Amino acid sequence: MANSRVNDNLVIEDAHIMFRNFSGREGKYNRAGQRNFCVQIDNPQDAKKLMDDGWNIRERPPREEGEDPRYYIQVAVSFENIPPTVYMITKRKKVKLDEESIDALDFAEIRNVDLTIRPYNWVIQEGTKNEKSGVKAYLRSLYVVIEEDEFAEKYAGDEYPEE
């Protein structure tokens, strides 16, 4: 576990996100109301460094023999203290999403994701021999390019009339 605080944001371009739960729906691995998603960490050395720094990096075992394990980090999405900046981008429009509309990303067909994760350093029972500490990942900004179907552009004029 890290002895020092993590102060730098984690910036990932062309990210691979999985286990999307922007709506905060209750499930086997999620308490109701907890919005989150996971980001794959492609480089094992990067994953190890993040672990050493105190980030909560998880490991998925290989699916097939000979494959390497895969690493990922769960990212909390909270609109409480520091709301994230989230944009959904299509060919014709860039839409800012908020707490009410962010759940549209749960089932969207995503082409590209760029994001910034901010660290939250936590400590339990500071100064005791049972002290635990770590870094929780919170979403700071997210830009999601949506893969549109073949009719999206044809009918976009009806939905977003030119001004």
Side-chain angles (χ1 to χ4, degrees), residues 40-51:
Q40 187 168 306
I41 308 297
D42 293 325
N43 184 321
Q45 287 78 26
D46 291 346
K48 171 94 173 78
K49 181 181 180 334
L50 291 169
M51 275 187 240

Side-chain angles (χ1 to χ4, degrees), residues 1-4 54-55 121-124 130-135:
M1 203 54 68
N3 293 333
S4 60
W55 293 93
N121 296 275
W122 59 269
V123 178
I124 297 175
N130 296 331
E131 180 178 309
K132 289 184 177 183
S133 64
V135 181

Side-chain angles (χ1 to χ4, degrees), residues 47-101:
K48 171 94 173 78
K49 181 181 180 334
L50 291 169
M51 275 187 240
D52 291 345
D53 289 345
W55 293 93
N56 186 16
I57 304 298
R58 299 178 183 168
E59 183 179 326
R60 290 183 79 188
R63 286 189 269 191
E64 295 179 18
E65 196 174 318
E67 274 188 353
D68 292 326
R70 292 182 295 162
Y71 300 92
Y72 67 96
I73 186 169
Q74 185 178 60
V75 180
V77 180
S78 174
F79 288 86
E80 298 283 314
N81 297 319
I82 305 171
T85 301
V86 179
Y87 283 98
M88 182 171 70
I89 302 153
T90 64
K91 288 179 183 170
R92 298 181 56 93
K93 200 163 179 90
K94 181 168 126 179
V95 179
K96 186 170 185 176
L97 301 180
D98 59 17
E99 194 168 8
E100 304 301 316
S101 57

